[in-house]
């Protein structure tokens, strides 16, 4: 089955990026959020990044206008009734995600594939909230979406080969590289990345070095493009905490316990770059 029309749910940093790469690749997109302001912000960011692409000669102004004309705003899930694919990118919380998937299952046509951009939550459990578990799949983009080449593709227990192949094909049309992984906590990306970030937070917590110095060690010593604490702020400390909780609960292993300092920052509303403060401070 070919995908033509896509609904992206959640217009935050991931959803806006996903919508951008989809419209740039010729897909019609509804960008949906429960907050109008989030849609405004998402579209502003898309326009800014596309203008940069025009300035850098990566697309023409006509291509930019055509891409933007394929984008529609959405504040009602009812818009899912005429799409071939939904990509969900809302908060990393199983209860909230399953509620949305249950609703989408009622609204979307029988052929529609329901994908989640979850960082770590089990696809099999999200799929079980629907009557079409064969058409539910993990489509895990990396942040920032317009720049990062990888899409981790997660097969739930009941994901069909047809669904997998359709999404694999679409990922290639988005100029991304798909990698297939099994439905295990944190998949591959966050099972490997997040314990490193959590360990960096313990290093701050134990006073081993300052956040700046910890990041410098990893940038200059290991050639990482961003230090782990800058990366944690960039991802969102709430998202980092939810991922560590999924790993901790999913494996039942104390090596994945989230650092208390991470919990404290999230409780304080210090969510990183998106809230203006995390391990570092950011301008509004
Ligand atoms: N959105 C879109 N584009 C962005 C961007 C953003 N937030 N930040 C930077 N860019 C673009 C810039 O516009 C620039 O593009 P041009 O080619 O037009 O110049 C390009 O990226 C390079 O940017 P900079 O020169 O300003 O900075 P940089 O060289 O440090 O690169 C970076 C920025 C690509 C983000 C780089 O720092 C990097 O790769 N960081 C690590 C990112 C990473 O690890 N992502 C994965 C996070 S984990 C995840 O996503 C999974 C999860 O579930 C949590
Ligand atoms: P974000 O906080 O930037 O954006 C989430 C958006 O979802 C917000 O605009 C919010 O208003 C909206 N939303 C929340 N509940 C909703 C609902 N019920 N209906 C409609 N809209 C709703 O979050 P984000 O960083 O974009 O992350 C979104 C998802 O992508 C999460 O599952 C996260 O784990 C995953 N993810 C994040 C990253 C990252 O680096 N931040 C990377 C890969 C995957």
């Amino acid at each position: 089955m070919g995908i033509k029309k896509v609904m992206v749910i959640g217009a935050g940093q991931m959803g806006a990026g996903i919508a951008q790469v989809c419209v740039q690749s010729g897909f019609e997109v509804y960008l949906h959020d429960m907050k109008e302001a989030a849609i405004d912000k998402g579209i502003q960011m898309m326009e800014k990044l596309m203008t940069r692409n025009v300035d850098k000669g990566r697309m023409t102004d006509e291509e930019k206008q055509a891409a933007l004309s394929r984008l529609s705003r959405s504040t009602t899930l009812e818009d899912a009734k005429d799409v071939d694919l939904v990509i969900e990118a809302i908060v990393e919380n199983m209860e909230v995600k399953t509620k949305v998937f249950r609703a989408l299952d009622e609204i979307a046509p029988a052929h529609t594939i329901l994908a989640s951009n979850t960082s770590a939550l089990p696809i099999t459990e999200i799929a079980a909230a629907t009557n079409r578990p064969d058409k539910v799949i993990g489509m895990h983009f990396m942040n920032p979406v317009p720049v990062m080449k990888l899409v981790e593709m997660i097969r739930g227990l009941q994901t069909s080969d047809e669904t997998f192949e359709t999404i694999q094909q679409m990922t290639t049309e988005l100029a991304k590289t798909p990698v297939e992984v099994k439905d295990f906590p944190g998949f591959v990306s966050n099972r490997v990345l997040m314990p490193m970030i959590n360990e960096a937070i313990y290093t701050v917590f134990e006073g081993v070095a300052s956040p700046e110095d910890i990041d410098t060690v990893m940038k200059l010593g290991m050639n990482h493009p961003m230090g782990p604490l800058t990366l944690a702020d960039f991802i969102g400390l709430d998202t980092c905490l939810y991922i560590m909780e999924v790993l901790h609960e999913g494996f039942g292993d104390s090596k994945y316990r989230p650092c208390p300092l991470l919990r404290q920052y999230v409780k304080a509303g210090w969510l990183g770059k998106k809230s203006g403060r995390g391990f570092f401070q950011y301008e509004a």
Side-chain angles (χ1 to χ4, degrees):
M1 190 211 64
I3 305 278
K4 290 197 176 66
K5 206 157 184 181
V6 182
M7 182 173 192
V8 178
I9 304 194
Q13 52 179 342
M14 294 306 291
I18 295 167
Q20 182 185 337
V21 296
C22 287
V23 291
Q24 283 182 183
S25 304
F27 296 94
E28 299 276 333
V29 175
Y30 280 119
L31 181 58
H32 171 96
D33 203 286
M34 60 184 189
K35 293 185 192 150
E36 290 270 5
I39 304 176
D40 292 340
K41 199 172 156 198
I43 293 176
Q44 265 170 26
M45 177 57 78
M46 288 168 69
E47 285 179 343
K48 190 175 146 199
L49 291 169
M50 282 194 221
T51 302
R52 189 173 168 89
N53 284 340
V54 173
D55 293 345
K56 290 219 155 187
R58 288 189 288 242
M59 71 195 301
T60 63
D61 194 50
E62 291 70 38
E63 284 165 340
K64 174 187 152 189
Q65 297 310 333
L68 288 171
S69 74
R70 287 190 279 271
L71 182 72
S72 310
R73 310 166 62 95
S74 161
T75 48
T76 166
L77 284 184
E78 290 298 321
D79 290 328
K81 68 182 181 305
D82 64 346
V83 302
D84 308 305
L85 168 68
V86 177
I87 306 176
E88 166 276 316
I90 62 171
V91 62
E92 186 75 348
N93 175 295
M94 181 57 88
E95 217 175 298
V96 184
K97 285 199 196 285
T98 47
K99 196 170 162 215
V100 168
F101 272 75
R102 226 171 272 127
L104 287 169
D105 191 34
E106 296 283 318
I107 300 163
H111 76 274
T112 305
I113 293 176
L114 307 180
S116 176
N117 182 52
T118 177
S119 292
L121 292 167
I123 295 302
T124 304
E125 193 176 337
I126 295 174
T130 73
N131 291 310
R132 61 179 92 190
D134 56 316
K135 293 201 171 61
V136 178
I137 190 166
M139 202 177 179
H140 185 204
F141 291 82
M142 301 293 130
N143 189 11
V145 179
V147 178
M148 307 302 277
K149 290 285 170 223
L150 177 71
V151 175
E152 238 182 346
M153 293 189 47
I154 303 104
R155 272 183 191 265
L157 199 60
Q158 300 181 71
T159 307
S160 69
D161 288 343
E162 192 191 351
T163 298
F164 186 85
E165 281 151 22
T166 304
I167 296 305
Q168 190 174 36
Q169 169 65 29
M170 182 191 176
T171 301
T172 311
E173 285 169 31
L174 297 177
K176 304 286 183 202
T177 303
V179 172
E180 178 179 354
V181 305
K182 297 217 169 72
D183 190 16
F184 254 67
F187 318 129
V188 171
S189 55
N190 283 315
R191 183 171 175 178
V192 176
L193 173 70
M194 217 37 82
M196 182 196 69
I197 287 179
N198 195 45
E199 206 56 35
I201 300 172
Y202 268 109
T203 318
V204 180
F205 187 51
E206 291 164 9
V208 179
S210 68
E212 289 79 4
D213 286 348
I214 292 163
D215 273 8
T216 301
V217 167
M218 298 305 286
K219 277 194 296 181
L220 301 189
M222 282 79 193
N223 256 2
H224 287 196
M226 280 175 167
L229 300 167
T230 302
L231 183 55
D233 277 356
F234 179 59
I235 290 168
L237 300 188
D238 50 345
T239 301
C240 293
L241 177 59
Y242 298 142
I243 296 169
M244 284 312 297
E245 281 170 342
V246 170
L247 291 173
H248 195 205
E249 195 195 318
F251 290 112
D253 188 331
S254 64
K255 77 177 177 184
Y256 297 113
R257 73 223 175 285
C259 179
L261 189 64
L262 175 60
R263 282 193 196 286
Q264 194 182 36
Y265 277 24
V266 172
K267 285 205 172 114
W270 294 3
L271 306 182
K273 202 171 173 197
K274 65 183 167 188
S275 74
R277 178 155 191 184
F279 290 97
F280 303 100
Q281 300 236 30
Y282 304 86
E283 281 174 29

